[in-house]
Amino acid sequence: MAYADQQMSGNKITALIVVALLHVVVGYALVTGLAYEAIKKIKEVTTAVKIDPDKPPPPPPPPPPKTDRPPPPPPIVAPPPTIQLNVAPIPLQTVQSPPPAPPPQITVPAPPSPPPPRFTPKPATPKGRPTEWVSNDDYPTRAAQLNQEGTTSFRLTVGTDGKVASCEITRSSGVAELDKTVCDLMRRRGRFAPATDGDGNPVQGSYANNFRWVLPKD
């Protein structure tokens, strides 16, 4: 096989040389005007070269050697351009429903007003002058010896019979004995016209006052 290839290559080289000589001869013949002799020489040369048509054609060239390189990446395809569609919005029609009817108003009759009182209510009223219920003779002996003075404020609860039911000290004089003496005297000597309601009936009432203790001067 190597010999046949070598022979085939030699024939090709010979043919190329012959063709080149033909071009030279033709050119020379055209220049010198000796076309006839040039044609004769071409015939002689072509008859001298004999190509065997029965020989097989040369084998195809071997495939390129394989390499470890990865195949090239596919070409980058640009995304298609964005198509903007200007679609007009569909007009919306709003239908206003009538407002619901308000619930029926329920009128509640006002309660009947109480009848006016037949009498004007009155508070408990002292009988006489409360300042006369306490005198200098009632000054506690120990408080007088210690020159103790002060003002005692009190509140009395008056029963339906006009008598003092209880006594409360609302502001102390600072001397407990003076405060106690005031309440004791009010319970014994206090007399009141009882309080009355709108019908003129006696009810429990109250009375508030104060008493100032002052040492008698000689």
Side-chain angles (χ1 to χ4, degrees), residues 195-215:
T196 57
D197 58 9
D199 294 332
N201 300 320
V203 294
Q204 181 175 286
S206 63
Y207 173 80
N209 206 336
N210 55 70
F211 184 82
R212 182 179 180 184
W213 294 95
V214 180
L215 290 171

Side-chain angles (χ1 to χ4, degrees), residues 126-183:
K127 292 180 179 181
R129 299 176 62 181
T131 54
E132 297 178 353
W133 295 345
V134 181
S135 65
N136 291 334
D137 296 337
D138 299 321
Y139 213 105
T141 304
R142 182 175 177 77
Q145 293 175 351
L146 297 175
N147 296 325
Q148 293 176 337
E149 297 180 341
T151 301
T152 300
S153 299
F154 59 91
R155 179 184 292 111
L156 304 177
T157 300
V158 181
T160 56
D161 56 357
K163 295 181 180 180
V164 177
S166 64
C167 176
E168 177 187 2
I169 301 299
T170 57
R171 188 179 65 181
S172 175
S173 63
V175 180
E177 190 174 2
L178 297 178
D179 297 339
K180 181 179 181 300
T181 301
V182 169
C183 281

Side-chain angles (χ1 to χ4, degrees), residues 41-142:
K41 290 181 179 181
I42 290 172
K43 287 182 178 182
E44 291 176 359
V45 172
T46 54
T47 54
V49 178
K50 184 179 181 181
I51 300 173
D52 191 358
D54 296 334
K55 290 184 178 180
K66 293 183 180 181
T67 60
D68 295 336
R69 294 180 181 179
I76 299 174
V77 179
T82 304
I83 300 174
Q84 297 182 356
L85 300 177
N86 297 326
V87 180
I90 301 174
L92 300 177
Q93 296 181 357
T94 58
V95 179
Q96 296 183 355
S97 59
Q105 296 182 356
I106 300 175
T107 303
V108 179
S113 57
R118 294 182 299 168
F119 301 93
T120 302
K122 295 180 180 181
T125 306
K127 292 180 179 181
R129 299 176 62 181
T131 54
E132 297 178 353
W133 295 345
V134 181
S135 65
N136 291 334
D137 296 337
D138 299 321
Y139 213 105
T141 304
R142 182 175 177 77

